[in-house]
Amino acid sequence: MTAIQMVDLQRQYRRIKPELDAAIQAVIDSAAFVKGAQVEQFARHLESYTGAKHVIPVANGTEALQIALMALGLRPGDEVITPTFTFIATAEVVALLGLTPVVVDVEWGTMNMSVEAVRKAITPRTKAIVPVHLFGQCADIEPLLRIAKEKNLYVVEDTAQAIGARYTFSDGRTTQAGTMGDIGCTSFFPSKNLGCYGDGGALMTNDDELAQKIRVIANHGMTVRYHHDMIGVNSRLDTIQAAVLDTKLPHLDEYTAARQRAAAYYDRVFAGCDKIIVPERAAYSTHVFHQYTLRIVGADRNAVRERLTAAGVPAMIYYPIPLHMQKAYQDSRYKQGDFPVAERLAACVLSLPMHTELDDEQLEYITEQVLNAVKS
Ligand SMILES: *Cc1c(COP(=O)(O)O)cnc(C)c1O
């Protein structure tokens, strides 16, 4: 059996090595390492894949979020609502820009932002909501969009973990994660569902004016060469990364199917075990399984993880500390116990190996070891 990894990027590479090597070599031959033709080409291809009117590639997912908030013209003191159970980047950029992060609890089942909690957190200073489509499943965006419209708020989707996931609205219309709010932000970090070979990210929007503003901000606030109309940043997707992504994009649906197949295997084996709760699937969203995250109940999660590690099965805790409990984000507004669901999740979640190359032999071994680990 091939050694089990959380993410196996080597085997994924080997499958498409000739195509990828040629794409990378072509960039080196052209020496257009920055702003090469592949960047715009990939952006157009991602527009047709996602259905977003505009895709603007940038240097990474965190900067995509930062640029989104800058493009919306948010000012210090403005409040931005994010879930407390997420990767730090979501709130980090809010704090960096001098905006006020307001965190809310999540749902026990989907682990995504609670709509009810968002409603309660809105104040006259609230300007934006940043739902995170955590682990590959869309947050319940329709009621969030309704609240945003009612209260005149922006919605910035953090879709770093959910590229390709689809949300179904109550009228039957389906759209892709990242294309439903004012701006969607994604990451091409190597281990993401569509990953490059370094850092990368993108913003998506259907709004022409916002798209133009985003392009200007990502390029030093420059409209005409050396004329800077607003304060910007330098955030570019390298041409080599764009070439890698453009080569991998046609495979994304197969990659998603491979993840879903592994998830279905896990589900099947764990169905009868009362110490394991498998990831809940919301009726309104597909799940692209950036992570397959169990909730371990009635067994010590940390001990389970140690037993798995000893048996050669890596397992990770995403995320061990909710944002309101992070040292850098200590705030007199929040204390332990304020967000009980997120705190309970932080103590019981366990993510299993999830990638595009898991074979039956590995899945059989992993599931056997997980069942042993929760029982002993
Ligand atoms: C990965 C990730 C980001 C940040 O992306 P980078 O490209 O690593 O900067 C932001 N939000 C979430 C939820 C993520 O998983």
Side-chain angles (χ1 to χ4, degrees), residues 60-62 65 86-87 89-90 132 158 160-161 187 189 192 199-200 319:
N60 57 67
T62 306
L65 287 162
T86 177
F87 179 56
T90 320
V132 180
D158 181 341
Q161 302 187 359
S187 164
F189 185 79
K192 298 283 155 89
D199 276 305
Y319 295 93

Side-chain angles (χ1 to χ4, degrees), residues 144-157:
L144 289 174
L145 291 175
R146 206 179 306 126
I147 294 171
K149 197 166 178 191
E150 222 173 88
K151 307 278 183 184
N152 206 16
L153 312 174
Y154 294 114
V155 173
V156 176
E157 299 170 65

Side-chain angles (χ1 to χ4, degrees), residues 184-229:
C185 298
T186 199
S187 164
F188 306 121
F189 185 79
S191 64
K192 298 283 155 89
N193 288 32
L194 178 62
C196 58
Y197 287 177
D199 276 305
L203 295 95
M204 302 174 224
T205 184
N206 295 321
D207 182 312
D208 298 343
E209 239 172 83
L210 267 179
Q212 175 56 19
K213 210 162 163 199
I214 289 164
R215 287 183 213 281
V216 171
I217 291 172
N219 185 29
H220 298 293
M222 187 160 83
T223 40
V224 176
R225 189 161 258 222
Y226 305 126
H227 292 247
H228 305 274
D229 294 349

